[in-house]
Amino acid sequence: MKTLAALAAAAIALTGCASNSSPQASSPSTSAEQTKPAQAKAAPLSQAEWVELCGPDGTAPDDPQCTADKSTGDEEPMDDSDFMEKQGEWFVFTTTDDENILEKWDVRIDTVELTEVLPKAKSNEDWDGGEEIPEYVDATPAEGNEFLHVEYTVKNTNKQPLDLPLEPSVQFSDGEVFAPLGEDASDYTWNLNQEHDSPAGDTQNPGTEAQGDFVIEIPQGSEVEALIITDAFMGSSAESVIAIDPTS
C-alpha cells in the first residue's frame, strides 16, 4: 500500500511540473533588419566622374554606378556628345605646372566658324616696317581645304599670376583628328591672338579673363564633331573635349 501511494504521489508531481512549464519567449515585433539604419545613397556622379569611371576608356565600367538602370525606358540613347563640354558654356580645365601643382581655369569656347578667308591673319612677307605696305594680309587655305576658326575665353581662377598654353585639335564624326600644322599653328593663331586687348596665353593675374584664337586647316566638307584642347606643358595629361557646331 505504501508503495502504491508513493507511486501515485510521484505521478501527480510530474503532472504538475509539466503543466507549470514556462512558455517560449515570443520573437520581438521589430526584426533586426527593420532596426538597421538605412544606408545613405551614393552621391550621383558628375559628368567628368562618369566619363572617367564608366566611359569607353573608363577605369571601372562594370561598377554598379555605371551599370545601374537609372532610366525610365523612354529616353533617347545618349551619344558621345552627352559627355562632352558644350560650346558657349564655362567649364573647368584642370592642369599642372612645372612643379606638378594642380591649376584650375575656367574656359569657354565662344564662337566656331568655317571659313575660306581669315582677314589679316597672315604675316606679309613684303612688309618693310613702314605704313605703305600692310604688315598683315588675308590668309587663305590650300585648294580643297577650309579653316576652322575658334575664339575662346580663359579665366585665371588661381591665386597667383599664371599662363595657360593650350593646344587644339579637331575631331570629325568618324573619329579622325586634325591638328594645326605650319602657318595655322603659329603665324595665323599668333596674329589673331594679338588683336585682342588681353591675349590668351600671356600671364594673367588672378580673376582676369583673356581671349584667344585657334586656327585649324581641314578638308572642305568635313563633319566636325568636337574640339579637343590639351595643356601644352610637356608631360601634362590635361585634356577637355568640347562639342562644337561650326557656322559658315
Coordinates of all heavy atoms in Angstrom, one line a residue, residues 20-106:
N20 N 3.1 23.5 -15.4 CA 3.6 24.8 -14.9 C 4.9 25.2 -15.7 O 5.5 26.2 -15.3 CB 3.9 24.8 -13.4 CG 2.6 24.6 -12.6 OD1 1.6 25.0 -13.0 ND2 2.8 24.0 -11.4
S21 N 5.3 24.5 -16.8 CA 6.5 24.9 -17.5 C 6.3 26.2 -18.2 O 5.2 26.5 -18.6 CB 6.8 23.8 -18.5 OG 5.8 23.7 -19.5
S22 N 7.4 27.0 -18.2 CA 7.4 28.4 -18.8 C 7.2 28.3 -20.3 O 7.8 27.5 -21.0 CB 8.7 29.1 -18.5 OG 8.8 29.2 -17.1
P23 N 6.3 29.2 -20.9 CA 6.2 29.2 -22.4 C 7.4 29.8 -23.0 O 8.1 30.6 -22.4 CB 5.0 30.1 -22.6 CG 4.9 31.0 -21.4 CD 5.5 30.1 -20.2
Q24 N 7.7 29.5 -24.3 CA 8.8 30.0 -25.0 C 8.6 31.5 -25.3 O 7.5 32.0 -25.5 CB 9.0 29.3 -26.4 CG 9.3 27.8 -26.3 CD 9.6 27.2 -27.6 OE1 9.2 27.8 -28.6 NE2 10.1 26.0 -27.6
A25 N 9.8 32.2 -25.2 CA 9.7 33.7 -25.4 C 9.3 34.0 -26.8 O 9.8 33.4 -27.8 CB 11.1 34.3 -25.1
S26 N 8.4 34.9 -27.0 CA 7.9 35.3 -28.4 C 9.0 36.2 -29.0 O 9.7 37.0 -28.3 CB 6.6 36.0 -28.3 OG 6.7 37.2 -27.5
S27 N 9.1 36.2 -30.4 CA 10.1 37.0 -31.1 C 9.6 38.4 -31.0 O 8.5 38.7 -31.0 CB 10.1 36.5 -32.6 OG 8.9 36.6 -33.2
P28 N 10.6 39.4 -31.0 CA 10.3 40.8 -30.9 C 9.5 41.2 -32.2 O 9.6 40.6 -33.2 CB 11.6 41.5 -30.9 CG 12.6 40.5 -31.4 CD 12.1 39.1 -31.0
S29 N 8.6 42.2 -32.0 CA 7.8 42.6 -33.1 C 8.5 43.3 -34.2 O 8.1 43.3 -35.4 CB 6.7 43.6 -32.6 OG 7.3 44.7 -32.0
T30 N 9.7 43.9 -33.9 CA 10.6 44.5 -34.9 C 11.8 43.7 -35.1 O 12.5 43.4 -34.2 CB 11.0 45.9 -34.4 OG1 9.8 46.7 -34.1 CG2 11.8 46.6 -35.5
S31 N 12.0 43.3 -36.4 CA 13.1 42.4 -36.7 C 14.4 43.2 -36.7 O 14.4 44.4 -36.7 CB 12.9 41.8 -38.1 OG 12.9 42.8 -39.1
A32 N 15.6 42.5 -36.7 CA 16.9 43.1 -36.7 C 17.0 43.9 -38.0 O 17.6 45.0 -38.0 CB 18.0 42.1 -36.6
E33 N 16.5 43.4 -39.1 CA 16.6 44.1 -40.4 C 15.9 45.5 -40.3 O 16.3 46.5 -40.9 CB 16.0 43.3 -41.5 CG 17.0 42.5 -42.3 CD 17.4 41.2 -41.6 OE1 16.5 40.6 -41.0 OE2 18.5 40.7 -41.8
Q34 N 14.7 45.5 -39.6 CA 13.9 46.7 -39.6 C 14.6 47.8 -38.7 O 14.4 49.0 -38.9 CB 12.5 46.4 -39.0 CG 11.6 45.6 -40.0 CD 10.3 45.2 -39.3 OE1 10.3 44.8 -38.2 NE2 9.3 45.3 -40.1
T35 N 15.4 47.3 -37.8 CA 16.0 48.3 -36.9 C 17.4 48.8 -37.4 O 18.0 49.7 -36.9 CB 16.3 47.7 -35.5 OG1 17.1 46.5 -35.6 CG2 15.0 47.3 -34.8
K36 N 17.9 48.2 -38.5 CA 19.2 48.7 -39.1 C 19.0 50.1 -39.7 O 18.0 50.3 -40.3 CB 19.6 47.7 -40.2 CG 20.2 46.4 -39.7 CD 20.7 45.6 -40.8 CE 21.3 44.3 -40.3 NZ 21.7 43.4 -41.4
P37 N 19.9 51.0 -39.5 CA 19.8 52.3 -40.1 C 19.9 52.2 -41.6 O 20.7 51.4 -42.2 CB 21.0 53.1 -39.5 CG 22.0 52.0 -39.1 CD 21.1 50.8 -38.7
A38 N 19.1 53.0 -42.3 CA 19.1 52.9 -43.8 C 20.5 53.4 -44.3 O 21.0 54.4 -43.8 CB 18.0 53.8 -44.4
Q39 N 21.1 52.7 -45.3 CA 22.3 53.1 -45.8 C 22.1 54.4 -46.7 O 21.2 54.5 -47.5 CB 22.9 52.0 -46.7 CG 23.3 50.8 -45.9 CD 24.0 49.8 -46.7 OE1 24.0 49.8 -47.9 NE2 24.6 48.8 -46.1
A40 N 23.1 55.3 -46.6 CA 23.0 56.6 -47.3 C 23.3 56.3 -48.8 O 24.1 55.5 -49.1 CB 24.0 57.6 -46.8
K41 N 22.5 56.9 -49.7 CA 22.7 56.7 -51.1 C 23.9 57.4 -51.6 O 24.2 58.5 -51.1 CB 21.5 57.2 -51.9 CG 20.2 56.4 -51.7 CD 19.1 56.9 -52.5 CE 17.8 56.1 -52.3 NZ 16.7 56.6 -53.1
A42 N 24.7 56.8 -52.5 CA 25.9 57.4 -53.0 C 25.5 58.6 -53.8 O 24.5 58.7 -54.5 CB 26.6 56.4 -53.9
A43 N 26.3 59.7 -53.7 CA 26.1 60.9 -54.5 C 26.2 60.6 -55.9 O 27.1 59.8 -56.4 CB 27.0 62.0 -54.0
P44 N 25.3 61.2 -56.8 CA 25.4 60.9 -58.2 C 26.7 61.4 -58.8 O 27.3 62.4 -58.3 CB 24.2 61.7 -58.8 CG 23.9 62.7 -57.7 CD 24.2 62.1 -56.4
L45 N 27.2 60.7 -59.8 CA 28.5 61.1 -60.4 C 28.3 62.3 -61.2 O 27.3 62.5 -61.9 CB 29.0 59.9 -61.3 CG 29.3 58.6 -60.6 CD1 29.6 57.5 -61.7 CD2 30.4 58.7 -59.6
S46 N 29.4 63.2 -61.2 CA 29.4 64.3 -62.1 C 29.7 63.8 -63.5 O 30.1 62.6 -63.7 CB 30.4 65.3 -61.7 OG 31.7 64.7 -61.8
Q47 N 29.5 64.7 -64.5 CA 29.8 64.3 -65.9 C 31.3 63.8 -66.0 O 31.5 62.8 -66.6 CB 29.6 65.5 -66.8 CG 30.0 65.3 -68.2 CD 29.7 66.5 -69.1 OE1 28.6 66.9 -69.1 NE2 30.7 67.0 -69.8
A48 N 32.2 64.6 -65.4 CA 33.6 64.2 -65.6 C 33.9 62.9 -64.8 O 34.7 62.0 -65.3 CB 34.5 65.3 -65.0
E49 N 33.3 62.7 -63.7 CA 33.5 61.4 -62.9 C 32.9 60.2 -63.7 O 33.5 59.1 -63.7 CB 32.8 61.5 -61.5 CG 33.6 62.5 -60.6 CD 32.8 62.7 -59.3 OE1 31.5 62.6 -59.3 OE2 33.4 63.1 -58.3
W50 N 31.7 60.4 -64.3 CA 31.1 59.3 -65.1 C 32.0 58.9 -66.2 O 32.2 57.7 -66.5 CB 29.8 59.8 -65.6 CG 28.9 58.6 -66.1 CD1 27.9 57.9 -65.4 CD2 29.0 57.9 -67.3 NE1 27.4 56.9 -66.2 CE2 28.1 56.9 -67.4 CE3 29.9 58.1 -68.5 CZ2 27.9 56.0 -68.5 CZ3 29.7 57.2 -69.5 CH2 28.8 56.2 -69.5
V51 N 32.5 59.9 -67.0 CA 33.4 59.6 -68.1 C 34.6 58.9 -67.7 O 35.0 57.9 -68.3 CB 33.8 60.9 -68.9 CG1 34.8 60.6 -69.9 CG2 32.5 61.5 -69.5
E52 N 35.2 59.3 -66.5 CA 36.5 58.7 -66.1 C 36.2 57.3 -65.6 O 37.0 56.3 -65.8 CB 37.1 59.5 -64.9 CG 38.4 58.9 -64.4 CD 39.0 59.8 -63.3 OE1 38.4 60.9 -63.0 OE2 40.0 59.4 -62.7
L53 N 35.0 57.0 -65.0 CA 34.7 55.7 -64.4 C 34.1 54.8 -65.4 O 34.4 53.6 -65.5 CB 33.8 55.9 -63.2 CG 33.5 54.6 -62.3 CD1 34.8 54.2 -61.6 CD2 32.4 54.9 -61.3
C54 N 33.1 55.3 -66.1 CA 32.2 54.5 -66.9 C 32.4 54.6 -68.4 O 31.8 53.8 -69.2 CB 30.7 54.8 -66.6 SG 30.4 54.9 -64.8
G55 N 33.1 55.6 -68.9 CA 33.2 55.9 -70.3 C 33.9 54.8 -71.1 O 34.3 53.8 -70.5
P56 N 34.0 55.0 -72.4 CA 34.6 54.0 -73.3 C 36.0 53.5 -72.8 O 36.4 52.4 -72.9 CB 34.7 54.7 -74.6 CG 33.6 55.7 -74.6 CD 33.5 56.1 -73.2
D57 N 36.8 54.5 -72.2 CA 38.1 54.2 -71.7 C 38.1 54.3 -70.1 O 39.1 54.6 -69.5 CB 39.1 55.2 -72.2 CG 39.2 55.1 -73.7 OD1 39.2 53.9 -74.3 OD2 39.4 56.1 -74.4
G58 N 36.9 54.0 -69.5 CA 36.8 54.2 -68.1 C 37.6 53.2 -67.3 O 37.9 52.1 -67.8
T59 N 37.8 53.6 -66.0 CA 38.6 52.7 -65.1 C 37.8 51.6 -64.6 O 38.4 50.5 -64.2 CB 39.2 53.6 -64.0 OG1 38.1 54.2 -63.3 CG2 40.1 54.6 -64.5
A60 N 36.5 51.7 -64.5 CA 35.7 50.6 -63.9 C 34.3 50.6 -64.5 O 33.3 50.9 -63.9 CB 35.6 50.7 -62.4
P61 N 34.2 50.2 -65.8 CA 32.9 50.3 -66.5 C 31.8 49.3 -65.9 O 30.6 49.5 -66.2 CB 33.2 49.9 -67.9 CG 34.5 49.2 -67.9 CD 35.3 49.8 -66.7
D62 N 32.3 48.3 -65.1 CA 31.3 47.4 -64.5 C 30.9 47.8 -63.1 O 30.2 47.1 -62.4 CB 32.0 46.0 -64.4 CG 32.2 45.4 -65.8 OD1 31.4 45.7 -66.7 OD2 33.2 44.7 -66.0
D63 N 31.4 49.0 -62.7 CA 31.0 49.5 -61.4 C 29.5 49.6 -61.3 O 28.8 50.0 -62.3 CB 31.6 50.8 -61.1 CG 31.4 51.3 -59.7 OD1 30.3 51.9 -59.4 OD2 32.3 51.2 -58.9
P64 N 28.8 49.3 -60.1 CA 27.4 49.4 -60.0 C 26.8 50.8 -60.4 O 25.7 51.0 -60.9 CB 27.1 49.1 -58.5 CG 28.2 48.3 -58.1 CD 29.4 48.7 -58.9
Q65 N 27.6 51.9 -60.2 CA 27.2 53.2 -60.6 C 27.1 53.4 -62.1 O 26.5 54.3 -62.6 CB 28.2 54.3 -60.0 CG 28.2 54.3 -58.5 CD 29.1 55.4 -57.9 OE1 28.7 56.5 -57.7 NE2 30.3 55.0 -57.7
C66 N 27.8 52.5 -62.8 CA 27.8 52.5 -64.3 C 26.7 51.7 -64.8 O 26.1 52.0 -65.8 CB 29.1 52.1 -64.8 SG 30.6 53.0 -64.3
T67 N 26.5 50.5 -64.2 CA 25.6 49.5 -64.7 C 24.1 49.7 -64.2 O 23.2 49.1 -64.7 CB 26.0 48.1 -64.4 OG1 26.2 48.0 -63.0 CG2 27.4 47.9 -65.0
A68 N 23.9 50.5 -63.2 CA 22.6 50.7 -62.6 C 21.7 51.3 -63.6 O 22.0 52.2 -64.4 CB 22.6 51.6 -61.4
D69 N 20.5 50.7 -63.8 CA 19.5 51.2 -64.7 C 18.7 52.4 -64.0 O 17.9 52.2 -63.2 CB 18.5 50.1 -65.1 CG 17.5 50.6 -66.1 OD1 17.6 51.7 -66.6 OD2 16.5 49.8 -66.4
K70 N 19.1 53.6 -64.4 CA 18.5 54.8 -63.9 C 17.5 55.4 -64.8 O 17.0 56.5 -64.5 CB 19.6 55.8 -63.5 CG 20.7 55.3 -62.5 CD 21.7 56.3 -62.3 CE 22.8 55.7 -61.3 NZ 23.9 56.7 -61.1
S71 N 17.2 54.8 -65.9 CA 16.3 55.4 -66.9 C 14.9 54.9 -66.7 O 14.7 53.9 -66.0 CB 16.8 55.1 -68.3 OG 16.7 53.7 -68.6
T72 N 14.0 55.5 -67.4 CA 12.6 55.1 -67.4 C 12.3 54.2 -68.6 O 11.2 53.6 -68.7 CB 11.6 56.3 -67.3 OG1 11.8 57.0 -68.6 CG2 11.9 57.2 -66.1
G73 N 13.2 54.2 -69.5 CA 13.0 53.4 -70.8 C 12.5 54.3 -71.9 O 12.4 53.8 -73.0
D74 N 12.1 55.6 -71.6 CA 11.6 56.4 -72.6 C 12.6 57.4 -73.2 O 12.3 58.1 -74.1 CB 10.4 57.2 -72.1 CG 9.3 56.3 -71.6 OD1 9.1 55.3 -72.3 OD2 8.6 56.7 -70.6
E75 N 13.8 57.5 -72.6 CA 14.8 58.4 -73.0 C 15.4 58.0 -74.3 O 15.5 56.8 -74.6 CB 15.9 58.6 -71.9 CG 15.4 59.2 -70.6 CD 14.9 58.2 -69.7 OE1 14.7 57.0 -70.1 OE2 14.6 58.5 -68.5
E76 N 15.9 59.0 -75.1 CA 16.7 58.8 -76.2 C 18.1 58.2 -75.8 O 18.6 58.7 -74.8 CB 16.9 60.0 -77.1 CG 15.6 60.5 -77.7 CD 15.1 59.6 -78.8 OE1 16.0 58.9 -79.4 OE2 13.9 59.5 -79.1
P77 N 18.7 57.3 -76.5 CA 20.0 56.8 -76.1 C 21.0 58.0 -76.2 O 21.0 58.8 -77.1 CB 20.3 55.7 -77.2 CG 19.4 56.1 -78.3 CD 18.2 56.7 -77.7
M78 N 22.0 58.0 -75.2 CA 23.0 59.0 -75.2 C 24.1 58.7 -76.1 O 24.5 57.6 -76.2 CB 23.5 59.2 -73.7 CG 22.4 59.7 -72.8 SD 23.1 60.1 -71.1 CE 23.4 58.4 -70.6
D79 N 24.6 59.7 -76.8 CA 25.8 59.6 -77.6 C 27.0 60.2 -77.0 O 26.9 60.8 -75.9 CB 25.6 60.1 -79.0 CG 25.2 61.6 -79.0 OD1 25.6 62.3 -78.1 OD2 24.5 62.0 -80.0
D80 N 28.1 60.2 -77.7 CA 29.3 60.8 -77.1 C 29.2 62.2 -76.7 O 29.8 62.7 -75.7 CB 30.5 60.6 -78.1 CG 30.9 59.1 -78.2 OD1 30.5 58.3 -77.4 OD2 31.6 58.8 -79.2
S81 N 28.4 63.0 -77.5 CA 28.3 64.4 -77.2 C 27.7 64.7 -75.8 O 27.8 65.8 -75.3 CB 27.5 65.1 -78.3 OG 26.2 64.7 -78.3
D82 N 26.9 63.7 -75.3 CA 26.3 63.9 -74.0 C 27.4 64.0 -72.9 O 27.1 64.5 -71.8 CB 25.3 62.8 -73.7 CG 24.1 62.9 -74.6 OD1 23.6 64.0 -74.8 OD2 23.8 61.8 -75.1
F83 N 28.6 63.6 -73.1 CA 29.6 63.5 -72.1 C 30.7 64.5 -72.5 O 31.8 64.4 -71.9 CB 30.2 62.1 -72.0 CG 29.1 61.1 -71.7 CD1 28.7 60.2 -72.6 CD2 28.4 61.1 -70.4 CE1 27.7 59.3 -72.3 CE2 27.4 60.3 -70.2 CZ 27.0 59.3 -71.1
M84 N 30.5 65.4 -73.4 CA 31.5 66.4 -73.8 C 31.1 67.8 -73.1 O 29.9 67.9 -72.7 CB 31.5 66.7 -75.3 CG 32.0 65.5 -76.1 SD 31.9 65.8 -77.9 CE 32.2 64.2 -78.6
E85 N 32.0 68.7 -73.0 CA 31.7 70.0 -72.6 C 30.9 70.7 -73.8 O 30.9 70.1 -74.9 CB 33.0 70.8 -72.3 CG 33.9 70.2 -71.3 CD 33.3 70.0 -69.9 OE1 32.3 70.6 -69.7 OE2 33.9 69.3 -69.1
K86 N 30.3 71.8 -73.5 CA 29.4 72.4 -74.5 C 29.9 73.8 -74.9 O 30.4 74.5 -74.1 CB 28.0 72.5 -74.0 CG 27.3 71.2 -73.5 CD 27.1 70.3 -74.6 CE 26.3 69.0 -74.2 NZ 27.0 68.2 -73.2
Q87 N 29.9 74.0 -76.2 CA 30.2 75.3 -76.8 C 29.3 76.4 -76.1 O 28.1 76.2 -76.0 CB 30.0 75.3 -78.3 CG 30.3 76.6 -79.0 CD 30.1 76.5 -80.5 OE1 30.2 75.5 -81.1 NE2 29.7 77.6 -81.1
G88 N 30.0 77.5 -75.8 CA 29.2 78.6 -75.2 C 29.0 78.5 -73.7 O 28.5 79.5 -73.1
E89 N 29.5 77.4 -73.0 CA 29.3 77.2 -71.6 C 30.7 77.2 -70.9 O 31.6 76.6 -71.4 CB 28.5 76.0 -71.3 CG 27.1 76.0 -71.9 CD 26.4 74.7 -71.5 OE1 26.9 73.8 -70.8 OE2 25.2 74.6 -72.0
W90 N 30.8 77.8 -69.7 CA 32.0 77.7 -69.0 C 32.2 76.2 -68.5 O 31.3 75.5 -68.1 CB 32.0 78.6 -67.7 CG 32.1 80.1 -68.0 CD1 31.1 80.9 -68.0 CD2 33.3 80.8 -68.4 NE1 31.5 82.2 -68.3 CE2 32.9 82.2 -68.5 CE3 34.6 80.5 -68.5 CZ2 33.8 83.2 -68.9 CZ3 35.5 81.5 -68.8 CH2 35.1 82.8 -69.0
F91 N 33.5 75.8 -68.5 CA 33.8 74.5 -67.8 C 35.2 74.7 -67.2 O 36.0 75.6 -67.5 CB 33.9 73.4 -68.9 CG 34.8 73.5 -70.0 CD1 36.1 73.0 -69.9 CD2 34.5 74.2 -71.2 CE1 37.1 73.2 -70.9 CE2 35.4 74.3 -72.2 CZ 36.7 73.8 -72.1
V92 N 35.5 73.8 -66.3 CA 36.8 73.8 -65.5 C 37.8 73.0 -66.3 O 37.6 71.8 -66.6 CB 36.6 73.3 -64.1 CG1 37.9 73.3 -63.4 CG2 35.6 74.1 -63.3
F93 N 39.0 73.6 -66.6 CA 40.1 72.9 -67.2 C 41.2 72.8 -66.1 O 41.7 73.8 -65.6 CB 40.6 73.7 -68.4 CG 41.7 73.0 -69.2 CD1 41.3 72.1 -70.2 CD2 43.0 73.3 -68.9 CE1 42.3 71.5 -70.9 CE2 44.0 72.6 -69.6 CZ 43.7 71.7 -70.6
T94 N 41.5 71.6 -65.7 CA 42.5 71.3 -64.7 C 43.8 70.9 -65.3 O 43.8 70.0 -66.1 CB 42.0 70.2 -63.7 OG1 40.7 70.6 -63.2 CG2 43.0 70.0 -62.6
T95 N 44.9 71.5 -64.9 CA 46.2 71.2 -65.5 C 47.2 71.2 -64.4 O 46.9 71.2 -63.2 CB 46.5 72.3 -66.6 OG1 47.7 71.9 -67.2 CG2 46.6 73.7 -66.0
T96 N 48.5 71.0 -64.8 CA 49.6 71.0 -63.9 C 50.7 72.0 -64.4 O 50.8 72.3 -65.5 CB 50.2 69.6 -63.8 OG1 50.7 69.2 -65.1 CG2 49.3 68.6 -63.3
D97 N 51.4 72.5 -63.4 CA 52.6 73.3 -63.8 C 53.9 72.5 -63.7 O 53.8 71.3 -63.5 CB 52.6 74.6 -63.0 CG 52.9 74.4 -61.5 OD1 53.2 73.2 -61.2 OD2 52.7 75.3 -60.7
D98 N 55.0 73.2 -63.8 CA 56.3 72.5 -63.8 C 56.6 71.9 -62.4 O 57.6 71.2 -62.3 CB 57.4 73.4 -64.3 CG 57.5 74.7 -63.5 OD1 56.6 74.9 -62.6 OD2 58.4 75.5 -63.8
E99 N 55.8 72.2 -61.4 CA 56.1 71.6 -60.1 C 55.0 70.6 -59.7 O 54.8 70.2 -58.6 CB 56.1 72.7 -59.0 CG 57.3 73.7 -59.2 CD 57.3 74.8 -58.1 OE1 56.3 74.9 -57.4 OE2 58.3 75.5 -58.1
N100 N 54.2 70.2 -60.7 CA 53.1 69.3 -60.6 C 52.0 69.8 -59.6 O 51.3 69.0 -59.0 CB 53.6 67.9 -60.1 CG 54.5 67.3 -61.2 OD1 54.2 67.4 -62.4 ND2 55.5 66.6 -60.8
I101 N 51.9 71.1 -59.5 CA 50.8 71.6 -58.7 C 49.6 71.8 -59.5 O 49.6 72.4 -60.6 CB 51.2 73.0 -58.1 CG1 52.5 72.8 -57.2 CG2 50.1 73.6 -57.3 CD1 53.1 74.1 -56.7
L102 N 48.4 71.3 -59.1 CA 47.2 71.4 -59.9 C 46.8 72.9 -60.0 O 46.8 73.7 -59.1 CB 46.1 70.6 -59.2 CG 46.2 69.1 -59.2 CD1 45.0 68.5 -58.5 CD2 46.2 68.6 -60.7
E103 N 46.4 73.2 -61.2 CA 45.8 74.5 -61.5 C 44.4 74.3 -62.1 O 44.1 73.3 -62.7 CB 46.6 75.3 -62.6 CG 48.0 75.6 -62.2 CD 48.8 76.2 -63.4 OE1 48.2 76.5 -64.4 OE2 50.0 76.3 -63.3
K104 N 43.5 75.2 -61.8 CA 42.1 75.1 -62.3 C 41.8 76.5 -63.0 O 41.9 77.5 -62.4 CB 41.1 74.8 -61.2 CG 41.3 73.3 -60.7 CD 40.2 72.9 -59.8 CE 40.3 71.5 -59.4 NZ 39.2 71.0 -58.5
W105 N 41.4 76.4 -64.2 CA 41.0 77.5 -65.0 C 39.5 77.4 -65.5 O 39.1 76.3 -65.7 CB 41.9 77.6 -66.3 CG 43.3 77.9 -66.0 CD1 44.2 77.0 -65.5 CD2 44.0 79.1 -66.2 NE1 45.5 77.6 -65.4 CE2 45.4 78.9 -65.9 CE3 43.7 80.4 -66.7 CZ2 46.4 79.9 -66.0 CZ3 44.6 81.3 -66.8 CH2 46.0 81.1 -66.4
D106 N 38.9 78.5 -65.7 CA 37.6 78.5 -66.3 C 37.8 78.8 -67.8 O 38.5 79.7 -68.2 CB 36.7 79.6 -65.7 CG 36.1 79.2 -64.4 OD1 36.2 78.0 -64.0 OD2 35.6 80.0 -63.7

